[in-house]
Amino acid sequence: MAKKKPTSNRGEIARLAKQIADHQARIQVIAANWWAMTVAALDATEKKYLAELAKGLAGIRFLQNDPGSIGRLKKLCAKLAAIRAIGWANAAKQIRHEMISLAKNEQHWARRISLELGAGSSDTAEDAKKNDQKKQPVMLGKVSMFETLAVSVA
């Protein structure tokens, strides 16, 4: 008959599993917020985009297979693409700083969880966590900066 693990180990595993699930949920919230920021940045260029489209189409007398008509459509497409590129660039600027912060936090969070999951003894894991906290001011005890980041982005 297989030996049962002590309850304290099951409790520790359950605690870590909950932390991982909570972490994943926070990442999904951040992703939704970044998507909303991207849509807002694109929406900010939408009026200009539609105005340029209406103006461009109004000025085109399109004749099928006419090089002049095709050239005017290509110029209009290039103008529209440039307007849309501004929206994408603005979205990237807004999100870039947050992405860097999240990446740094993910590194620290993954290290802490890995140490807890893979530690040979609790003394080793505790020592590693203490050392990590001293080196990395991003960590706030057993709760990472991710809590703060998730709230600030939401």
Side-chain angles (χ1 to χ4, degrees):
M1 182 177 236
K3 264 183 146 177
K4 285 188 173 181
K5 295 205 180 232
T7 307
S8 63
N9 285 346
R10 278 193 232 140
E12 185 69 10
I13 291 169
R15 182 187 65 79
L16 289 172
K18 182 175 180 347
Q19 283 183 9
I20 292 168
D22 289 347
H23 182 80
Q24 180 182 2
R26 288 183 201 104
I27 292 287
Q28 290 173 333
V29 168
I30 288 172
N33 288 332
W34 288 358
W35 175 248
M37 291 170 69
T38 302
V39 169
L42 292 174
D43 283 351
T45 61
E46 195 67 17
K47 285 183 182 177
K48 185 175 182 180
Y49 183 92
L50 293 174
E52 191 65 39
L53 178 61
K55 177 181 153 189
L57 289 176
I60 290 179
R61 287 183 308 135
F62 184 75
L63 301 172
Q64 191 171 9
N65 297 323
D66 173 51
S69 294
I70 293 170
R72 287 186 294 274
L73 285 175
K74 284 183 179 180
K75 283 181 185 178
L76 177 59
C77 285
K79 285 181 183 179
L80 296 174
I83 293 168
R84 195 55 90 204
I86 291 169
W88 283 112
N90 290 339
K93 283 178 193 174
Q94 291 174 350
I95 293 172
R96 186 171 289 116
H97 177 72
E98 292 184 36
M99 288 172 50
I100 292 167
S101 295
L102 179 61
K104 287 177 183 177
N105 181 71
E106 285 298 293
Q107 176 187 6
H108 299 301
W109 188 89
R111 181 173 189 270
R112 181 182 61 81
I113 290 295
S114 295
L115 288 170
E116 287 190 45
L117 288 173
S121 72
S122 61
D123 290 340
T124 305
E126 288 301 317
D127 290 343
K129 283 189 273 182
K130 286 177 188 172
N131 290 336
D132 191 42
Q133 289 169 356
K134 288 177 189 172
K135 290 181 203 169
Q136 307 296 339
V138 173
M139 300 300 289
L140 307 169
K142 290 217 175 216
V143 179
S144 71
M145 182 184 97
F146 191 83
E147 297 277 345
T148 309
L149 180 66
V151 170
S152 69
V153 173

